Amino acid sequence: MAAAIRPYEDDSGTVGVGQGPQVISTSEGVDVICGPLLNYRRTSNQQTGQPIWHGSVLIVTTPGQQDPQLVLSPAGAIDPNVGHAAYNAPSERAFRAEKLYEDPHRAFWRFILDVPFQQFEARWQYDIRGLTYVDPESAAKPQTFVVPSTSQSMRIMFHSCNGFSVGTDVDAWSGPALWNDVLRMHGQKPFHVMIGGGDQIYNDGVRVDGPLKPWTAIHNPHKRREFLFGEKMRADCDEYYFNNYVRWYSHKPFSTANGQIPQVNIWDDHDIIDGFGSYTDNFMKCPVFRGIGGVAHKYYLLFQHHLAPPKSTYTTDAPDTMTVGPDGTTPADPVQLKDTFVMTDDVGDPSYLIGHKPGPYVEERSRSIYCQLGARIAFAGIDARTERTRHVINYPETYKMLFDRLDKEFTANKDLKHLILLLGVPIAYPRLIWLENILASPIIAPIKFLNKRFGFAGALFNQFDGKVDLLDDLDDHYTSRQHKHERRELVQMLQSFSKKYSARVTILGGDVHLAAIGRFYSNPKLQIPAEQDWRYIPNIISSAITNKPPPPAVANLLAKRNKIHHLDHDTDETLLEIFDRDPGLAGPTRVVTGGLDDHVNGTSKEEGKGHAEINGNIVNKKTIESNHATMPSRNYAIICESTAPTTSTLSAPAPAPGQTPSLNGSHLSAPIAKKANPRHAIHDGEQNAGTAHPAAGGLLPTGLCGPFGLDVTLRVEISNQDPEGRTDGYGFSVPALAVSEALRDLGERW
């Protein structure tokens, strides 16, 4: 038995445990099951000052492959005016693969790439030698990706909820159609990175048509909690999660985007199973939930981060795996490692912020991210699932680690002007505590009794712990009563950071299956212009890119709850009314989609009534006339700098004595009038927010908010019956931040 887990060194010198399947492929090529998948990791600077882009490519192959090779070469400048671009790089470089994992059915290979930034926006081509696909319908071909110039910040695409809930009629929603629109936009003006905000895959089917189906069918909650997660169930779940990843990550057009746009991902509950982390504590600690948490984490690391997994995962048949060590990784299980190789010397990457201790249910340390997105934008993504319970989203030590890293990076790099922070769920969002109170009140008890005895109102209750199904979704929200203190402290820490470094913070959030724009801002009584307001923090809410949206009635209810809330004495919050009309329902018969002018067949109806016929598809009204704050339609977001980088725009003139400083030398927006409606524009970049805003097209910089501001575009699906996934755009701009010394001197209260 000791021989089964002895250290093993493969042909590439990688150290691991287990001997692997001990087979050698006889194929003339590299037989690929899934991939390539492209990731962005970080930027570094050589001692010469040359910035380096770091990323990785993952392929999943049949076992027994020998030393796959990737060739990387320059592929020309994006700007045709550059002409024949002279790259400061070799004409061709070869990269050798590292084996992360191998068992008798599959192997994961990773290529670590690095390319030097150029003085121009550069396209790169990579080709895996001898690549052939197991699926005969797939064709192997070289892939390309784009790296910004040394003076550019990255053009960002943000998405979440990339999958379908159990029971959804996939054909009725044209499958993952919006990825066609992503590729259209990418073809016109390339994305440098795509940020996955969670639920990059939906694994909920594991309980419906997968190995957890018999367990889910157990009606007695006590028996369900005590049910063992033995080796057979672990192996069956392992096979299910792997096959589901391969199916989804090989599905076009999503798979096409995976190979061309570098990804940065954080996970959420559906990457494991619906509601994971938000059920009651005693149920979350049952063997089955601990088991699938380990299996899902294994494939999350492999597919989404290109990292080696732990040596083995939880199973009740191996008592050693049921003990959580300080690093989370359980001891090697000889049964799981039979004919299996796992890399053990994977050093990870400096971009990761590893939690101090394992989570309570996914018994591994959390994995948050910090990296730089080009010249002036920093990015941080908080792993808000590994440490999550009904009462805690992240440990205090995790927040401290994040802000220590931000302090270090922003102190060392004065060029950083903006922080984009990714959270799994929105944080500036309507409160639904009144609904939580109803669903948790004694009113529900008689209905729950009838459900238990006769199955009455079955859709209202979840299949796991018998609680009201919607409660796990509400408990996920930062605005839940369970998380309100943690929420307030996080926002106040962000405000202090923003003030200290004069760095604007913008938050990304998904999960809720609709689009919206939330904002924190200084109480109007303080009369602080947005360009100087460190409390102004927009929350871009973009969800879902694939899953069906909630019914319009839910979005309309949320819009009615769009009150002006007070986070604290000096900070207010509300949603921006950005949706001036429904997507596609323009005045004349023309809609701007994917940056192109497409004619609409038929005529649009008066707002609030009926439907329109667009490209032969019937489009129903998505919202009532009074709802301009929430949009129940599939969507994704585009984020880029407001001004193209030039020498003149990147150096603002010094203000004259007594003059109010401004990052672009222009006037400041007027402070919010004390009796104004902050659901409308509160600074110049929000004026005409919506389809009439210059940022709505998502292609050209608006120049509205200076060289360090951001343009934001929500691309919203017009019709779910359209397999091309055409969208309409809604835009606004985020101003840069310059905190004046006068405001600093007013003390901590301000």
Side-chain angles (χ1 to χ4, degrees), residues 310-321:
K311 296 183 289 292
S312 50
T313 63
Y314 176 98
T315 169
T316 51
D317 287 350
D320 284 349
T321 67

Side-chain angles (χ1 to χ4, degrees), residues 13 37 70 131 238 518 583 632:
L37 309 177
L70 180 148
L131 186 73
D238 189 285

